[in-house]
Amino acid sequence: MIITNYQVHSTLRAYDQQLAEKSRLARAKAAKNTGPKDEVILSQESKKRLTAQKITQQLIRQFSDGSELTDTHREILSRLSREYGQPVEVEKKEGQGLVFKVPERESSGGTRNASPEEAGLLNEKLFEITQSIVYNNLG
């Protein structure tokens, strides 16, 4: 009996296809056998807090972007001024980030940049007030 080249090639091609199918099945089976995945379940309250935190960061970023102030931004600045006891303005300066402008200590009517200590406190208050407003607005 004579075996032709075509029969040899056909047999080798079928063998090659079987090997490929076997390795694909082995990979699929290995993926199914992986252990249980960690799952985190967040309560509605936690989801609300996370959402509020993300929105708060966006609002504060908008202060430093120089974006036009919205009603929410004006409300935040109003509350910040009330808690500070004097009018506070926020502006962005290149390389410095947010700069808080407060009235001069003397009654000259001008404004000055807040000292580093004041700026740190105002920055913390800004975050707290913004988060409070956003959290309350989420309902």
Side-chain angles (χ1 to χ4, degrees):
M1 177 177 188
I2 298 175
I3 300 175
T4 65
N5 281 343
Y6 173 77
Q7 289 172 325
V8 170
H9 285 291
S10 178
T11 304
L12 289 174
R13 194 174 21 246
Y15 181 72
D16 215 18
Q17 288 172 349
Q18 287 175 353
L19 282 176
E21 182 68 25
K22 188 176 180 181
S23 68
R24 255 185 265 132
L25 288 173
R27 267 187 264 130
K29 197 180 241 185
K32 289 179 184 175
N33 291 340
T34 58
K37 295 181 179 170
D38 291 338
E39 189 174 317
V40 177
I41 299 173
L42 295 175
S43 68
Q44 287 297 104
E45 184 65 23
S46 295
K47 288 179 186 177
K48 185 177 174 181
R49 270 190 263 126
L50 282 173
T51 303
Q53 189 172 14
K54 288 178 184 177
I55 294 171
T56 298
Q57 290 169 346
Q58 282 181 328
L59 284 171
I60 291 176
R61 212 173 301 123
Q62 288 174 354
F63 273 119
S64 61
D65 289 347
S67 301
E68 188 174 326
L69 296 181
T70 63
D71 290 338
T72 306
H73 287 100
R74 283 189 270 288
E75 182 182 350
I76 293 166
L77 285 176
S78 172
R79 280 187 50 186
L80 183 63
S81 294
R82 264 185 280 149
E83 289 196 22
Y84 186 66
Q86 297 177 0
V88 177
E89 297 174 19
V90 177
E91 62 181 45
K92 179 192 187 282
K93 285 208 174 163
E94 290 299 320
Q96 294 180 2
L98 285 181
V99 175
F100 295 94
K101 296 278 194 178
V102 295
E104 296 259 354
R105 290 195 174 107
E106 302 84 37
S107 59
S108 65
T111 59
R112 64 177 174 79
N113 290 348
S115 69
E117 296 82 26
E118 288 176 309
L121 291 171
L122 286 168
N123 214 0
E124 287 176 26
K125 271 298 184 198
L126 177 69
F127 186 83
E128 288 173 18
I129 290 169
T130 306
Q131 193 164 22
S132 168
I133 289 172
V134 168
Y135 186 82
N136 292 335
N137 287 344
L138 285 176

